[in-house]
Amino acid sequence: MKRELQILFHALCDGLRQEVRQRYLSHLVTHQDFSLTKEREVGIASSLALHLRSVGLAVQLDAYFPSGSPKRCPDFGIWLPASKKYIYLELKTVAWGNSYHRYYYQGAIDDIKKLNDDTDPLNQWNGLIALGFSFNPEKQPDQLWKGFKRELSEKNHQCLPFI
């Protein structure tokens, strides 16, 4: 399973790079802003799902968990063929936030807690894709990464072991 998860991670990263590249090229031609910072979460999820499918993965958007409430739909259900299991992933975008110049991580933390609160073993192959965006990357290039490490990793590691 570790190898399959590595392949999935690299495919997600590659899909995101290709999406950014395509948007940059569109900007060069049209001079319009196609930045991912203005894209809704569902648009990013659709783009990533299309890329994952193009590399051969079976992907469901707004998937259903095998058990539990049908109202609870993770953003992705991805079949891992060698492991013969689905992994369920939530997608959350994190961007530069309020007037105190902090990043908003609460939405990602809420999604992590939802995943962590599901006690059914069939639903526990799950995780979070957190995508961070900076509106001024030239001015503060390291702030987003530092925030991810502090807010999403170090603070939640004890109670949320899959981060």
Side-chain angles (χ1 to χ4, degrees):
M1 175 171 271
K2 183 178 179 181
R3 183 68 183 129
E4 281 181 302
L5 292 176
Q6 286 176 334
I7 291 168
L8 174 59
F9 174 75
H10 290 292
L12 285 166
C13 291
D14 184 52
L16 187 62
R17 275 192 298 273
Q18 288 190 33
E19 183 69 18
V20 169
R21 186 180 310 117
Q22 183 272 331
R23 288 167 182 266
Y24 182 71
L25 289 171
S26 296
H27 170 74
L28 287 175
V29 172
T30 65
H31 303 290
Q32 295 183 29
D33 185 5
F34 293 102
S35 170
L36 278 174
T37 58
K38 296 183 177 172
E39 183 70 59
R40 294 184 60 193
E41 207 171 274
V42 68
I44 296 170
S46 296
S47 175
L48 289 175
L50 178 65
H51 182 75
L52 292 175
R53 288 175 181 151
S54 74
V55 298
L57 292 165
V59 180
Q60 299 173 347
L61 282 171
D62 275 341
Y64 291 107
F65 277 128
S67 63
S69 171
K71 293 180 182 177
R72 180 72 185 90
C73 297
D75 295 319
F76 296 97
I78 302 168
W79 177 249
L80 301 175
S83 301
K84 295 183 171 73
K85 294 181 185 274
Y86 274 96
I87 184 168
Y88 299 96
L89 300 174
E90 291 285 351
L91 173 69
K92 190 55 68 184
T93 57
V94 179
W96 193 252
N98 60 21
S99 61
Y100 298 109
H101 299 292
R102 296 214 41 217
Y103 289 92
Y104 282 121
Y105 296 97
Q106 193 58 49
I109 291 168
D110 291 344
D111 275 2
I112 290 168
K113 288 179 181 174
K114 276 194 297 188
L115 291 170
N116 200 43
D117 288 343
D118 199 328
T119 58
D120 190 315
L122 293 174
N123 302 344
Q124 288 187 343
W125 288 98
N126 59 46
L128 175 75
I129 303 167
L131 298 177
F133 299 103
S134 177
F135 293 105
N136 297 310
E138 300 84 23
K139 294 181 182 176
Q140 299 181 339
D142 297 331
Q143 291 300 102
L144 184 64
W145 176 244
K146 288 177 185 173
F148 262 92
K149 284 181 68 176
R150 185 181 64 250
E151 299 291 333
L152 289 180
S153 186
E154 293 169 7
K155 286 186 179 179
N156 293 299
H157 186 67
Q158 291 93 8
C159 63
L160 305 168
F162 49 84
I163 292 181

